[in-house]
PDB file of all heavy atoms in Angstrom:
ATOM      1  N   TYR A   1     -17.572 -34.280  21.726  1.00  0.00           N
ATOM      2  CA  TYR A   1     -18.425 -33.814  20.617  1.00  0.00           C
ATOM      3  C   TYR A   1     -17.586 -33.746  19.344  1.00  0.00           C
ATOM      4  O   TYR A   1     -16.625 -32.994  19.261  1.00  0.00           O
ATOM      5  CB  TYR A   1     -19.016 -32.465  20.980  1.00  0.00           C
ATOM      6  CG  TYR A   1     -19.783 -31.810  19.802  1.00  0.00           C
ATOM      7  CD1 TYR A   1     -20.716 -32.549  19.094  1.00  0.00           C
ATOM      8  CD2 TYR A   1     -19.382 -30.501  19.392  1.00  0.00           C
ATOM      9  CE1 TYR A   1     -21.386 -31.895  17.985  1.00  0.00           C
ATOM     10  CE2 TYR A   1     -20.065 -29.939  18.346  1.00  0.00           C
ATOM     11  CZ  TYR A   1     -21.107 -30.580  17.686  1.00  0.00           C
ATOM     12  OH  TYR A   1     -21.704 -30.003  16.659  1.00  0.00           O
ATOM     13  N   ASP A   2     -17.977 -34.566  18.359  1.00  0.00           N
ATOM     14  CA  ASP A   2     -17.156 -34.601  17.112  1.00  0.00           C
ATOM     15  C   ASP A   2     -17.792 -33.540  16.163  1.00  0.00           C
ATOM     16  O   ASP A   2     -18.909 -33.785  15.619  1.00  0.00           O
ATOM     17  CB  ASP A   2     -17.235 -35.977  16.573  1.00  0.00           C
ATOM     18  CG  ASP A   2     -16.308 -36.171  15.365  1.00  0.00           C
ATOM     19  OD1 ASP A   2     -15.722 -35.191  14.927  1.00  0.00           O
ATOM     20  OD2 ASP A   2     -16.072 -37.275  14.957  1.00  0.00           O
ATOM     21  N   ASN A   3     -17.096 -32.435  15.977  1.00  0.00           N
ATOM     22  CA  ASN A   3     -17.655 -31.378  15.160  1.00  0.00           C
ATOM     23  C   ASN A   3     -16.922 -31.310  13.813  1.00  0.00           C
ATOM     24  O   ASN A   3     -17.125 -30.349  12.992  1.00  0.00           O
ATOM     25  CB  ASN A   3     -17.375 -30.015  15.890  1.00  0.00           C
ATOM     26  CG  ASN A   3     -15.911 -29.698  16.105  1.00  0.00           C
ATOM     27  OD1 ASN A   3     -15.022 -30.390  15.583  1.00  0.00           O
ATOM     28  ND2 ASN A   3     -15.561 -28.684  16.857  1.00  0.00           N
ATOM     29  N   ARG A   4     -16.261 -32.375  13.493  1.00  0.00           N
ATOM     30  CA  ARG A   4     -15.395 -32.311  12.242  1.00  0.00           C
ATOM     31  C   ARG A   4     -16.156 -32.157  10.875  1.00  0.00           C
ATOM     32  O   ARG A   4     -15.752 -31.411  10.101  1.00  0.00           O
ATOM     33  CB  ARG A   4     -14.496 -33.571  12.133  1.00  0.00           C
ATOM     34  CG  ARG A   4     -13.366 -33.553  13.100  1.00  0.00           C
ATOM     35  CD  ARG A   4     -12.553 -34.796  13.052  1.00  0.00           C
ATOM     36  NE  ARG A   4     -13.379 -35.930  13.414  1.00  0.00           N
ATOM     37  CZ  ARG A   4     -13.069 -37.180  13.020  1.00  0.00           C
ATOM     38  NH1 ARG A   4     -12.079 -37.490  12.413  1.00  0.00           N
ATOM     39  NH2 ARG A   4     -13.892 -38.255  13.480  1.00  0.00           N
ATOM     40  N   ALA A   5     -17.335 -32.769  10.851  1.00  0.00           N
ATOM     41  CA  ALA A   5     -18.110 -32.708   9.640  1.00  0.00           C
ATOM     42  C   ALA A   5     -18.585 -31.288   9.367  1.00  0.00           C
ATOM     43  O   ALA A   5     -18.532 -30.716   8.178  1.00  0.00           O
ATOM     44  CB  ALA A   5     -19.427 -33.601   9.723  1.00  0.00           C
ATOM     45  N   GLU A   6     -19.053 -30.584  10.418  1.00  0.00           N
ATOM     46  CA  GLU A   6     -19.475 -29.130  10.268  1.00  0.00           C
ATOM     47  C   GLU A   6     -18.281 -28.257  10.039  1.00  0.00           C
ATOM     48  O   GLU A   6     -18.323 -27.342   9.137  1.00  0.00           O
ATOM     49  CB  GLU A   6     -20.168 -28.693  11.501  1.00  0.00           C
ATOM     50  CG  GLU A   6     -20.899 -27.342  11.322  1.00  0.00           C
ATOM     51  CD  GLU A   6     -22.002 -27.136  12.311  1.00  0.00           C
ATOM     52  OE1 GLU A   6     -22.148 -27.991  13.266  1.00  0.00           O
ATOM     53  OE2 GLU A   6     -22.772 -26.174  12.164  1.00  0.00           O
ATOM     54  N   VAL A   7     -17.114 -28.527  10.668  1.00  0.00           N
ATOM     55  CA  VAL A   7     -15.958 -27.727  10.405  1.00  0.00           C
ATOM     56  C   VAL A   7     -15.432 -27.824   8.886  1.00  0.00           C
ATOM     57  O   VAL A   7     -15.146 -26.865   8.256  1.00  0.00           O
ATOM     58  CB  VAL A   7     -14.806 -28.156  11.387  1.00  0.00           C
ATOM     59  CG1 VAL A   7     -13.460 -27.463  10.942  1.00  0.00           C
ATOM     60  CG2 VAL A   7     -15.159 -27.721  12.801  1.00  0.00           C
ATOM     61  N   GLN A   8     -15.529 -29.036   8.407  1.00  0.00           N
ATOM     62  CA  GLN A   8     -15.018 -29.292   7.032  1.00  0.00           C
ATOM     63  C   GLN A   8     -15.960 -28.705   5.995  1.00  0.00           C
ATOM     64  O   GLN A   8     -15.477 -28.116   5.069  1.00  0.00           O
ATOM     65  CB  GLN A   8     -14.820 -30.744   6.781  1.00  0.00           C
ATOM     66  CG  GLN A   8     -13.738 -31.460   7.545  1.00  0.00           C
ATOM     67  CD  GLN A   8     -13.782 -32.945   7.543  1.00  0.00           C
ATOM     68  OE1 GLN A   8     -14.628 -33.547   6.883  1.00  0.00           O
ATOM     69  NE2 GLN A   8     -12.725 -33.553   8.138  1.00  0.00           N
ATOM     70  N   LYS A   9     -17.217 -28.682   6.319  1.00  0.00           N
ATOM     71  CA  LYS A   9     -18.208 -28.001   5.442  1.00  0.00           C
ATOM     72  C   LYS A   9     -17.953 -26.556   5.363  1.00  0.00           C
ATOM     73  O   LYS A   9     -17.838 -25.941   4.248  1.00  0.00           O
ATOM     74  CB  LYS A   9     -19.666 -28.332   5.931  1.00  0.00           C
ATOM     75  CG  LYS A   9     -20.697 -27.532   5.203  1.00  0.00           C
ATOM     76  CD  LYS A   9     -22.069 -27.711   5.856  1.00  0.00           C
ATOM     77  CE  LYS A   9     -23.151 -26.817   5.156  1.00  0.00           C
ATOM     78  NZ  LYS A   9     -24.467 -26.967   5.882  1.00  0.00           N
ATOM     79  N   VAL A  10     -17.767 -25.887   6.454  1.00  0.00           N
ATOM     80  CA  VAL A  10     -17.374 -24.450   6.531  1.00  0.00           C
ATOM     81  C   VAL A  10     -16.106 -24.188   5.766  1.00  0.00           C
ATOM     82  O   VAL A  10     -16.042 -23.215   5.034  1.00  0.00           O
ATOM     83  CB  VAL A  10     -17.351 -23.936   7.949  1.00  0.00           C
ATOM     84  CG1 VAL A  10     -16.897 -22.482   7.953  1.00  0.00           C
ATOM     85  CG2 VAL A  10     -18.728 -24.056   8.619  1.00  0.00           C
ATOM     86  N   LEU A  11     -15.122 -25.041   5.987  1.00  0.00           N
ATOM     87  CA  LEU A  11     -13.851 -24.799   5.320  1.00  0.00           C
ATOM     88  C   LEU A  11     -13.883 -24.876   3.850  1.00  0.00           C
ATOM     89  O   LEU A  11     -13.197 -24.196   3.075  1.00  0.00           O
ATOM     90  CB  LEU A  11     -12.811 -25.719   5.918  1.00  0.00           C
ATOM     91  CG  LEU A  11     -12.246 -25.484   7.304  1.00  0.00           C
ATOM     92  CD1 LEU A  11     -11.450 -26.581   7.824  1.00  0.00           C
ATOM     93  CD2 LEU A  11     -11.544 -24.101   7.410  1.00  0.00           C
ATOM     94  N   VAL A  12     -14.716 -25.752   3.328  1.00  0.00           N
ATOM     95  CA  VAL A  12     -14.873 -26.002   1.844  1.00  0.00           C
ATOM     96  C   VAL A  12     -15.579 -24.803   1.301  1.00  0.00           C
ATOM     97  O   VAL A  12     -15.133 -24.230   0.252  1.00  0.00           O
ATOM     98  CB  VAL A  12     -15.617 -27.232   1.613  1.00  0.00           C
ATOM     99  CG1 VAL A  12     -16.056 -27.334   0.065  1.00  0.00           C
ATOM    100  CG2 VAL A  12     -14.873 -28.538   1.893  1.00  0.00           C
ATOM    101  N   ILE A  13     -16.588 -24.266   1.925  1.00  0.00           N
ATOM    102  CA  ILE A  13     -17.318 -23.096   1.446  1.00  0.00           C
ATOM    103  C   ILE A  13     -16.339 -21.912   1.410  1.00  0.00           C
ATOM    104  O   ILE A  13     -16.301 -21.118   0.438  1.00  0.00           O
ATOM    105  CB  ILE A  13     -18.524 -22.838   2.310  1.00  0.00           C
ATOM    106  CG1 ILE A  13     -19.584 -23.887   2.164  1.00  0.00           C
ATOM    107  CG2 ILE A  13     -19.203 -21.457   2.008  1.00  0.00           C
ATOM    108  CD1 ILE A  13     -20.745 -23.839   3.156  1.00  0.00           C
ATOM    109  N   THR A  14     -15.653 -21.597   2.562  1.00  0.00           N
ATOM    110  CA  THR A  14     -14.706 -20.426   2.633  1.00  0.00           C
ATOM    111  C   THR A  14     -13.526 -20.641   1.610  1.00  0.00           C
ATOM    112  O   THR A  14     -13.018 -19.605   1.095  1.00  0.00           O
ATOM    113  CB  THR A  14     -14.226 -20.219   4.017  1.00  0.00           C
ATOM    114  OG1 THR A  14     -13.618 -21.443   4.555  1.00  0.00           O
ATOM    115  CG2 THR A  14     -15.324 -19.915   4.954  1.00  0.00           C
ATOM    116  N   LEU A  15     -13.145 -21.895   1.426  1.00  0.00           N
ATOM    117  CA  LEU A  15     -12.024 -22.018   0.422  1.00  0.00           C
ATOM    118  C   LEU A  15     -12.512 -21.582  -0.977  1.00  0.00           C
ATOM    119  O   LEU A  15     -11.709 -20.880  -1.688  1.00  0.00           O
ATOM    120  CB  LEU A  15     -11.628 -23.546   0.393  1.00  0.00           C
ATOM    121  CG  LEU A  15     -10.636 -23.980  -0.796  1.00  0.00           C
ATOM    122  CD1 LEU A  15      -9.392 -23.190  -0.598  1.00  0.00           C
ATOM    123  CD2 LEU A  15     -10.462 -25.511  -0.728  1.00  0.00           C
ATOM    124  N   LEU A  16     -13.644 -21.894  -1.404  1.00  0.00           N
ATOM    125  CA  LEU A  16     -14.188 -21.495  -2.708  1.00  0.00           C
ATOM    126  C   LEU A  16     -14.314 -19.982  -2.693  1.00  0.00           C
ATOM    127  O   LEU A  16     -13.978 -19.360  -3.747  1.00  0.00           O
ATOM    128  CB  LEU A  16     -15.534 -22.193  -3.001  1.00  0.00           C
ATOM    129  CG  LEU A  16     -15.471 -23.697  -3.083  1.00  0.00           C
ATOM    130  CD1 LEU A  16     -16.939 -24.246  -3.262  1.00  0.00           C
ATOM    131  CD2 LEU A  16     -14.593 -24.141  -4.276  1.00  0.00           C
ATOM    132  N   LEU A  17     -14.871 -19.386  -1.631  1.00  0.00           N
ATOM    133  CA  LEU A  17     -14.989 -17.936  -1.700  1.00  0.00           C
ATOM    134  C   LEU A  17     -13.611 -17.230  -1.650  1.00  0.00           C
ATOM    135  O   LEU A  17     -13.376 -16.254  -2.330  1.00  0.00           O
ATOM    136  CB  LEU A  17     -15.777 -17.491  -0.463  1.00  0.00           C
ATOM    137  CG  LEU A  17     -17.233 -17.899  -0.526  1.00  0.00           C
ATOM    138  CD1 LEU A  17     -17.936 -17.494   0.881  1.00  0.00           C
ATOM    139  CD2 LEU A  17     -18.024 -17.163  -1.575  1.00  0.00           C
ATOM    140  N   ASN A  18     -12.607 -17.769  -0.959  1.00  0.00           N
ATOM    141  CA  ASN A  18     -11.283 -17.264  -0.841  1.00  0.00           C
ATOM    142  C   ASN A  18     -10.596 -17.271  -2.223  1.00  0.00           C
ATOM    143  O   ASN A  18      -9.772 -16.410  -2.579  1.00  0.00           O
ATOM    144  CB  ASN A  18     -10.448 -17.891   0.193  1.00  0.00           C
ATOM    145  CG  ASN A  18     -10.832 -17.405   1.667  1.00  0.00           C
ATOM    146  OD1 ASN A  18     -11.277 -16.269   1.697  1.00  0.00           O
ATOM    147  ND2 ASN A  18     -10.681 -18.272   2.575  1.00  0.00           N
ATOM    148  N   LEU A  19     -10.806 -18.400  -2.988  1.00  0.00           N
ATOM    149  CA  LEU A  19     -10.211 -18.526  -4.275  1.00  0.00           C
ATOM    150  C   LEU A  19     -10.787 -17.475  -5.160  1.00  0.00           C
ATOM    151  O   LEU A  19     -10.030 -16.921  -6.023  1.00  0.00           O
ATOM    152  CB  LEU A  19     -10.471 -19.958  -4.855  1.00  0.00           C
ATOM    153  CG  LEU A  19      -9.654 -21.039  -4.218  1.00  0.00           C
ATOM    154  CD1 LEU A  19     -10.168 -22.403  -4.658  1.00  0.00           C
ATOM    155  CD2 LEU A  19      -8.225 -20.913  -4.533  1.00  0.00           C
ATOM    156  N   LEU A  20     -12.034 -17.202  -5.084  1.00  0.00           N
ATOM    157  CA  LEU A  20     -12.710 -16.124  -5.863  1.00  0.00           C
ATOM    158  C   LEU A  20     -12.121 -14.777  -5.520  1.00  0.00           C
ATOM    159  O   LEU A  20     -11.745 -14.013  -6.434  1.00  0.00           O
ATOM    160  CB  LEU A  20     -14.213 -16.106  -5.610  1.00  0.00           C
ATOM    161  CG  LEU A  20     -15.015 -14.955  -6.258  1.00  0.00           C
ATOM    162  CD1 LEU A  20     -15.033 -15.001  -7.749  1.00  0.00           C
ATOM    163  CD2 LEU A  20     -16.471 -14.899  -5.726  1.00  0.00           C
ATOM    164  N   VAL A  21     -11.953 -14.479  -4.219  1.00  0.00           N
ATOM    165  CA  VAL A  21     -11.357 -13.250  -3.810  1.00  0.00           C
ATOM    166  C   VAL A  21      -9.913 -13.103  -4.264  1.00  0.00           C
ATOM    167  O   VAL A  21      -9.544 -12.045  -4.735  1.00  0.00           O
ATOM    168  CB  VAL A  21     -11.425 -13.202  -2.304  1.00  0.00           C
ATOM    169  CG1 VAL A  21     -10.576 -12.066  -1.723  1.00  0.00           C
ATOM    170  CG2 VAL A  21     -12.852 -12.939  -1.753  1.00  0.00           C
ATOM    171  N   MET A  22      -9.151 -14.121  -4.130  1.00  0.00           N
ATOM    172  CA  MET A  22      -7.730 -14.144  -4.541  1.00  0.00           C
ATOM    173  C   MET A  22      -7.666 -13.757  -6.023  1.00  0.00           C
ATOM    174  O   MET A  22      -6.785 -12.964  -6.466  1.00  0.00           O
ATOM    175  CB  MET A  22      -7.082 -15.465  -4.247  1.00  0.00           C
ATOM    176  CG  MET A  22      -5.667 -15.539  -4.664  1.00  0.00           C
ATOM    177  SD  MET A  22      -5.034 -17.234  -4.417  1.00  0.00           S
ATOM    178  CE  MET A  22      -5.904 -18.103  -5.691  1.00  0.00           C
ATOM    179  N   GLY A  23      -8.470 -14.476  -6.891  1.00  0.00           N
ATOM    180  CA  GLY A  23      -8.449 -14.219  -8.246  1.00  0.00           C
ATOM    181  C   GLY A  23      -8.761 -12.846  -8.686  1.00  0.00           C
ATOM    182  O   GLY A  23      -8.105 -12.181  -9.538  1.00  0.00           O
ATOM    183  N   LEU A  24      -9.859 -12.236  -8.017  1.00  0.00           N
ATOM    184  CA  LEU A  24     -10.212 -10.855  -8.322  1.00  0.00           C
ATOM    185  C   LEU A  24      -9.165  -9.866  -7.967  1.00  0.00           C
ATOM    186  O   LEU A  24      -8.862  -8.951  -8.656  1.00  0.00           O
ATOM    187  CB  LEU A  24     -11.575 -10.561  -7.594  1.00  0.00           C
ATOM    188  CG  LEU A  24     -12.805 -11.255  -8.174  1.00  0.00           C
ATOM    189  CD1 LEU A  24     -13.957 -10.948  -7.216  1.00  0.00           C
ATOM    190  CD2 LEU A  24     -13.062 -10.856  -9.589  1.00  0.00           C
ATOM    191  N   LYS A  25      -8.528 -10.132  -6.741  1.00  0.00           N
ATOM    192  CA  LYS A  25      -7.518  -9.104  -6.301  1.00  0.00           C
ATOM    193  C   LYS A  25      -6.316  -9.205  -7.249  1.00  0.00           C
ATOM    194  O   LYS A  25      -5.696  -8.172  -7.513  1.00  0.00           O
ATOM    195  CB  LYS A  25      -7.069  -9.494  -4.920  1.00  0.00           C
ATOM    196  CG  LYS A  25      -8.053  -9.055  -3.785  1.00  0.00           C
ATOM    197  CD  LYS A  25      -7.610  -9.401  -2.424  1.00  0.00           C
ATOM    198  CE  LYS A  25      -8.503  -9.069  -1.349  1.00  0.00           C
ATOM    199  NZ  LYS A  25      -8.076  -9.481   0.027  1.00  0.00           N
ATOM    200  N   ALA A  26      -5.853 -10.421  -7.647  1.00  0.00           N
ATOM    201  CA  ALA A  26      -4.647 -10.566  -8.446  1.00  0.00           C
ATOM    202  C   ALA A  26      -5.010  -9.928  -9.847  1.00  0.00           C
ATOM    203  O   ALA A  26      -4.165  -9.238 -10.442  1.00  0.00           O
ATOM    204  CB  ALA A  26      -4.390 -12.080  -8.650  1.00  0.00           C
ATOM    205  N   PHE A  27      -6.225 -10.107 -10.362  1.00  0.00           N
ATOM    206  CA  PHE A  27      -6.577  -9.535 -11.671  1.00  0.00           C
ATOM    207  C   PHE A  27      -6.521  -7.980 -11.637  1.00  0.00           C
ATOM    208  O   PHE A  27      -5.855  -7.353 -12.460  1.00  0.00           O
ATOM    209  CB  PHE A  27      -7.980  -9.962 -12.037  1.00  0.00           C
ATOM    210  CG  PHE A  27      -8.517  -9.298 -13.263  1.00  0.00           C
ATOM    211  CD1 PHE A  27      -8.088  -9.536 -14.539  1.00  0.00           C
ATOM    212  CD2 PHE A  27      -9.629  -8.224 -13.078  1.00  0.00           C
ATOM    213  CE1 PHE A  27      -8.570  -8.815 -15.653  1.00  0.00           C
ATOM    214  CE2 PHE A  27     -10.012  -7.597 -14.176  1.00  0.00           C
ATOM    215  CZ  PHE A  27      -9.580  -7.884 -15.455  1.00  0.00           C
ATOM    216  N   VAL A  28      -7.164  -7.430 -10.618  1.00  0.00           N
ATOM    217  CA  VAL A  28      -7.095  -5.921 -10.497  1.00  0.00           C
ATOM    218  C   VAL A  28      -5.703  -5.406 -10.158  1.00  0.00           C
ATOM    219  O   VAL A  28      -5.274  -4.443 -10.716  1.00  0.00           O
ATOM    220  CB  VAL A  28      -8.079  -5.415  -9.415  1.00  0.00           C
ATOM    221  CG1 VAL A  28      -8.094  -3.930  -9.315  1.00  0.00           C
ATOM    222  CG2 VAL A  28      -9.525  -5.911  -9.799  1.00  0.00           C
ATOM    223  N   GLY A  29      -5.017  -6.238  -9.336  1.00  0.00           N
ATOM    224  CA  GLY A  29      -3.630  -5.795  -8.996  1.00  0.00           C
ATOM    225  C   GLY A  29      -2.697  -5.732 -10.190  1.00  0.00           C
ATOM    226  O   GLY A  29      -1.931  -4.796 -10.392  1.00  0.00           O
ATOM    227  N   TYR A  30      -2.778  -6.764 -11.032  1.00  0.00           N
ATOM    228  CA  TYR A  30      -1.850  -6.776 -12.249  1.00  0.00           C
ATOM    229  C   TYR A  30      -2.332  -5.763 -13.270  1.00  0.00           C
ATOM    230  O   TYR A  30      -1.402  -5.136 -13.965  1.00  0.00           O
ATOM    231  CB  TYR A  30      -1.883  -8.175 -12.823  1.00  0.00           C
ATOM    232  CG  TYR A  30      -0.970  -9.149 -12.205  1.00  0.00           C
ATOM    233  CD1 TYR A  30      -1.447 -10.282 -11.437  1.00  0.00           C
ATOM    234  CD2 TYR A  30       0.444  -8.963 -12.246  1.00  0.00           C
ATOM    235  CE1 TYR A  30      -0.611 -11.123 -10.823  1.00  0.00           C
ATOM    236  CE2 TYR A  30       1.295  -9.783 -11.588  1.00  0.00           C
ATOM    237  CZ  TYR A  30       0.834 -10.832 -10.821  1.00  0.00           C
ATOM    238  OH  TYR A  30       1.646 -11.796 -10.182  1.00  0.00           O
ATOM    239  N   SER A  31      -3.694  -5.525 -13.436  1.00  0.00           N
ATOM    240  CA  SER A  31      -4.123  -4.620 -14.383  1.00  0.00           C
ATOM    241  C   SER A  31      -3.814  -3.110 -13.947  1.00  0.00           C
ATOM    242  O   SER A  31      -3.678  -2.232 -14.920  1.00  0.00           O
ATOM    243  CB  SER A  31      -5.620  -4.740 -14.650  1.00  0.00           C
ATOM    244  OG  SER A  31      -6.325  -4.431 -13.415  1.00  0.00           O
ATOM    245  N   THR A  32      -3.741  -2.835 -12.643  1.00  0.00           N
ATOM    246  CA  THR A  32      -3.403  -1.543 -12.164  1.00  0.00           C
ATOM    247  C   THR A  32      -1.989  -1.350 -11.889  1.00  0.00           C
ATOM    248  O   THR A  32      -1.534  -0.166 -11.818  1.00  0.00           O
ATOM    249  CB  THR A  32      -4.344  -1.167 -10.962  1.00  0.00           C
ATOM    250  OG1 THR A  32      -3.935  -2.067  -9.952  1.00  0.00           O
ATOM    251  CG2 THR A  32      -5.808  -1.287 -11.277  1.00  0.00           C
ATOM    252  N   GLY A  33      -1.227  -2.325 -11.602  1.00  0.00           N
ATOM    253  CA  GLY A  33       0.126  -2.184 -11.190  1.00  0.00           C
ATOM    254  C   GLY A  33       0.360  -1.858  -9.757  1.00  0.00           C
ATOM    255  O   GLY A  33       1.342  -1.376  -9.408  1.00  0.00           O
ATOM    256  N   SER A  34      -0.749  -2.105  -8.919  1.00  0.00           N
ATOM    257  CA  SER A  34      -0.660  -1.661  -7.441  1.00  0.00           C
ATOM    258  C   SER A  34       0.044  -2.679  -6.644  1.00  0.00           C
ATOM    259  O   SER A  34      -0.345  -3.888  -6.576  1.00  0.00           O
ATOM    260  CB  SER A  34      -2.165  -1.590  -6.944  1.00  0.00           C
ATOM    261  OG  SER A  34      -2.147  -1.489  -5.603  1.00  0.00           O
ATOM    262  N   LEU A  35       1.136  -2.221  -6.020  1.00  0.00           N
ATOM    263  CA  LEU A  35       1.881  -3.119  -5.099  1.00  0.00           C
ATOM    264  C   LEU A  35       1.145  -3.452  -3.915  1.00  0.00           C
ATOM    265  O   LEU A  35       1.175  -4.617  -3.525  1.00  0.00           O
ATOM    266  CB  LEU A  35       3.183  -2.266  -4.687  1.00  0.00           C
ATOM    267  CG  LEU A  35       4.029  -2.995  -3.602  1.00  0.00           C
ATOM    268  CD1 LEU A  35       4.636  -4.262  -4.184  1.00  0.00           C
ATOM    269  CD2 LEU A  35       5.130  -2.082  -3.148  1.00  0.00           C
ATOM    270  N   SER A  36       0.356  -2.526  -3.294  1.00  0.00           N
ATOM    271  CA  SER A  36      -0.475  -2.886  -2.086  1.00  0.00           C
ATOM    272  C   SER A  36      -1.475  -3.868  -2.373  1.00  0.00           C
ATOM    273  O   SER A  36      -1.748  -4.828  -1.622  1.00  0.00           O
ATOM    274  CB  SER A  36      -1.068  -1.586  -1.476  1.00  0.00           C
ATOM    275  OG  SER A  36      -1.849  -0.975  -2.413  1.00  0.00           O
ATOM    276  N   LEU A  37      -2.083  -3.853  -3.596  1.00  0.00           N
ATOM    277  CA  LEU A  37      -3.172  -4.733  -3.891  1.00  0.00           C
ATOM    278  C   LEU A  37      -2.558  -6.130  -4.226  1.00  0.00           C
ATOM    279  O   LEU A  37      -3.195  -7.155  -3.876  1.00  0.00           O
ATOM    280  CB  LEU A  37      -3.972  -4.186  -5.147  1.00  0.00           C
ATOM    281  CG  LEU A  37      -5.230  -5.061  -5.540  1.00  0.00           C
ATOM    282  CD1 LEU A  37      -6.125  -5.214  -4.298  1.00  0.00           C
ATOM    283  CD2 LEU A  37      -6.028  -4.360  -6.608  1.00  0.00           C
ATOM    284  N   LEU A  38      -1.426  -6.162  -4.908  1.00  0.00           N
ATOM    285  CA  LEU A  38      -0.761  -7.431  -5.172  1.00  0.00           C
ATOM    286  C   LEU A  38      -0.377  -8.103  -3.790  1.00  0.00           C
ATOM    287  O   LEU A  38      -0.419  -9.331  -3.621  1.00  0.00           O
ATOM    288  CB  LEU A  38       0.435  -7.305  -6.049  1.00  0.00           C
ATOM    289  CG  LEU A  38       0.142  -7.006  -7.503  1.00  0.00           C
ATOM    290  CD1 LEU A  38       1.423  -6.704  -8.292  1.00  0.00           C
ATOM    291  CD2 LEU A  38      -0.631  -8.164  -8.145  1.00  0.00           C
ATOM    292  N   ALA A  39       0.078  -7.285  -2.853  1.00  0.00           N
ATOM    293  CA  ALA A  39       0.416  -7.806  -1.507  1.00  0.00           C
ATOM    294  C   ALA A  39      -0.853  -8.289  -0.784  1.00  0.00           C
ATOM    295  O   ALA A  39      -0.831  -9.400  -0.194  1.00  0.00           O
ATOM    296  CB  ALA A  39       1.023  -6.715  -0.629  1.00  0.00           C
TER     297      ALA A  39
END
């Protein structure tokens, strides 16, 4: 069973969401100076 098309679709969606999450955490981390949030 070749599931690659569905796997790749999910990975693209989660990549976009993870980039959003990463940007928001980095923004708040730098603005607050929080080491744990930057980590």
Side-chain angles (χ1 to χ4, degrees):
Y1 169 54
D2 192 349
N3 62 9
R4 287 178 296 162
E6 192 159 8
V7 169
Q8 289 170 1
K9 175 185 173 183
V10 173
L11 287 172
V12 169
I13 292 172
T14 55
L15 172 61
L16 295 175
L17 291 174
N18 283 330
L19 288 172
L20 173 65
V21 165
M22 179 187 68
L24 290 175
K25 286 181 181 177
F27 170 74
V28 178
Y30 279 112
S31 65
T32 61
S34 169
L35 173 66
S36 60
L37 187 53
L38 288 174

